Amino acid sequence: MEQSRGKRLLTLFFSMLAISAFTFGGGFVIVTFMKRKFVDELHWIDEQEMLDMTALAQSSPGAIAVNAAILVGWKAGGLAGMAVSVLGTIIPPMVILSVISVFYQLFAANRYVALVLKGMSCGVAAVILDISVSLGLKVVQARQGVHLAVMAAAFAATFFFGVNVVWIILCAAAVGAGMALLNRKEGGKA
Amino acid sequence: MTLLQLFLSFVQIGLFSVGGGYAAIPLIRNQTVEVHHWLTAGQFMDLAAIAEMTPGPIAVNGATFVGLRIAGVPGAVIATFGCILPSLIIVSLLACVYRKYRELPMLQSVLASLRPAVVALIFAAGLNMLLQIAFGGQSRIAPDNAQWAGIALFAAAFAALRKWKTNPILTMLLCGAGGLALGLLGLF
């Protein structure tokens, strides 16, 4: 029993390590790989539960990959599973970024590397604006007045007035909480 | 003291980045460039490019990069731990009650209002990057200090992403190659 539990934790750790090291492209991609491994291959988690975990990982604060690792680890091996799973997920990016940081110190002064990085930063700005425009259009299409106002106010607050991002998030959360309370009251009367 | 500040900054980044990778970018920028001046705007853009190119969550990548620069390996570990600590607490609490959680109208409503705010924050972060590219980080926005090569590179990448939905990593690699080529021609 003890041994099989140890073996399970090892499998969990190395699965997470591999998924994290080779998955480019953000939280949703990594969740897909986790599903393939833990639902389709190892049968530790059923499909419905994995979908619930994905929704939970996505809507909780923090990185989606780390959140999903916490949930999958918890399910597969309790507290120890959670620790092992999170470690497996964060070790690859930490090692890779450490190596790159060393090279960054050495090469940031190099003219050619600086040119490539400068060119790439134009691409990053394009990727970020492309994604935010797509997301913004979805908000516009949903035609929820309050949400449009939140979006406009959040943009003005951060871009023109330099309000701390944390305050903006807290205010938006307060608006959502207020709307839920209003809806509840109206529901009560009806 | 620095370690404590690093820890607290990345706890905030972990706690308030709701909605995945890109949501962390404005928070990382706010904490590292504007509040603590650990990175210059240019270094932050290098970090964003590197984080996008490598596997792993942007917040963890950012924590390692900034932590190492500010306080070596202990800095990297402390910053990373800081950015995953809110997740560890909140997600394991939610995991205990998750079947009830999805139907909770209050949380649904809060999340629905957070989304448009996060979109606006990501858009503003992108716009700040674009201004940095277009005017070299100078506060004066005028045609005579515009960096036309950078603007052209951005415009080409943006058009390709919108029109053909090119792969983001491929787009960035092409931009890197374009930057090198333009630079060697003395235009960038």
Side-chain angles (χ1 to χ4, degrees), chain A residues 79-156:
Chain A
L79 208 58
M82 190 172 101
V84 157
S85 174
V86 169
L87 276 179
T89 303
I90 64 171
I91 285 175
M94 284 189 80
V95 170
I96 293 170
L97 255 287
S98 303
V99 172
I100 289 178
S101 297
V102 173
F103 281 102
Y104 178 77
Q105 313 268 23
L106 290 174
F107 285 139
N110 178 296
R111 183 170 163 245
Y112 303 108
V113 175
L115 283 173
V116 170
L117 274 175
K118 202 172 159 195
M120 270 170 37
S121 65
C122 298
V124 179
V127 168
I128 290 174
L129 283 174
D130 170 52
I131 283 167
S132 54
V133 165
S134 297
L135 293 171
L137 285 177
K138 267 186 208 156
V139 175
V140 171
Q141 279 159 6
R143 290 172 186 274
Q144 292 272 346
V146 179
H147 292 165
L148 286 173
V150 167
M151 190 160 79
F155 178 76

Side-chain angles (χ1 to χ4, degrees), chain B residues 101-154:
Chain B
Y101 160 82
R102 288 188 72 189
E103 279 84 45
L104 222 72
M106 173 65 92
L107 266 169
Q108 296 271 352
S109 176
V110 167
L111 289 173
S113 309
L114 277 182
R115 234 163 274 142
V118 169
V119 171
L121 294 176
I122 300 172
F123 183 71
L127 216 51
N128 276 322
M129 288 184 169
L130 177 59
L131 289 178
Q132 168 86 13
I133 290 162
F135 301 103
Q138 297 178 44
S139 52
R140 200 167 56 89
I141 294 169
D144 60 309
N145 68 354
Q147 316 265 323
W148 295 109
I151 295 172
L153 216 47
F154 165 81

Side-chain angles (χ1 to χ4, degrees), chain A:
Chain A
M1 189 63 202
E2 264 313 297
Q3 204 181 6
S4 77
R5 183 174 157 77
K7 208 177 157 195
R8 197 178 162 100
L9 288 178
L10 268 182
T11 311
L12 181 63
F13 178 73
F14 284 109
S15 304
M16 283 301 184
L17 203 67
I19 291 173
S20 179
F22 296 108
T23 311
F24 296 83
F28 292 106
V29 184
I30 209 167
V31 170
T32 317
F33 277 81
M34 285 180 189
K35 179 198 172 283
R36 207 175 290 168
K37 184 78 191 177
F38 297 106
V39 178
D40 303 340
E41 201 176 306
L42 294 170
H43 305 290
W44 287 359
I45 300 166
D46 70 55
E47 188 155 345
Q48 185 56 46
E49 204 163 11
M50 190 72 213
L51 281 177
D52 289 346
M53 286 180 179
T54 308
L56 200 53
Q58 186 201 336
S59 50
S60 303
I64 295 177
V66 174
N67 294 347
I70 291 169
L71 292 167
V72 169
W74 184 274
K75 170 78 185 167
L79 208 58
M82 190 172 101
V84 157
S85 174
V86 169
L87 276 179
T89 303
I90 64 171
I91 285 175
M94 284 189 80
V95 170
I96 293 170
L97 255 287
S98 303
V99 172
I100 289 178
S101 297
V102 173
F103 281 102
Y104 178 77
Q105 313 268 23
L106 290 174
F107 285 139
N110 178 296
R111 183 170 163 245
Y112 303 108
V113 175
L115 283 173
V116 170
L117 274 175
K118 202 172 159 195
M120 270 170 37
S121 65
C122 298
V124 179
V127 168
I128 290 174
L129 283 174
D130 170 52
I131 283 167
S132 54
V133 165
S134 297
L135 293 171
L137 285 177
K138 267 186 208 156
V139 175
V140 171
Q141 279 159 6
R143 290 172 186 274
Q144 292 272 346
V146 179
H147 292 165
L148 286 173
V150 167
M151 190 160 79
F155 178 76
T158 184
F159 195 75
F160 296 115
F161 303 110
V163 176
N164 192 312
V165 178
V166 170
W167 289 113
I168 298 173
I169 301 259
L170 287 175
C171 287
V175 169
M179 278 174 67
L181 289 177
L182 271 178
N183 282 338
R184 191 185 292 171
K185 256 186 196 163
E186 280 166 16
K189 276 177 201 160

Side-chain angles (χ1 to χ4, degrees), chain A residues 61-70 82-91 93-94, chain B residues 6-17 57-61 63-64 76-92:
Chain A
I64 295 177
V66 174
N67 294 347
I70 291 169
M82 190 172 101
V84 157
S85 174
V86 169
L87 276 179
T89 303
I90 64 171
I91 285 175
M94 284 189 80
Chain B
L6 261 177
F7 177 72
L8 292 177
S9 282
F10 277 90
V11 166
Q12 286 185 46
I13 291 167
L15 185 59
F16 292 106
S17 59
I58 291 178
V60 173
N61 290 340
T64 307
V77 173
I78 290 277
T80 305
F81 181 65
C83 88
I84 64 170
L85 184 64
S87 289
L88 285 174
I89 296 168
I90 294 169
V91 176
S92 33

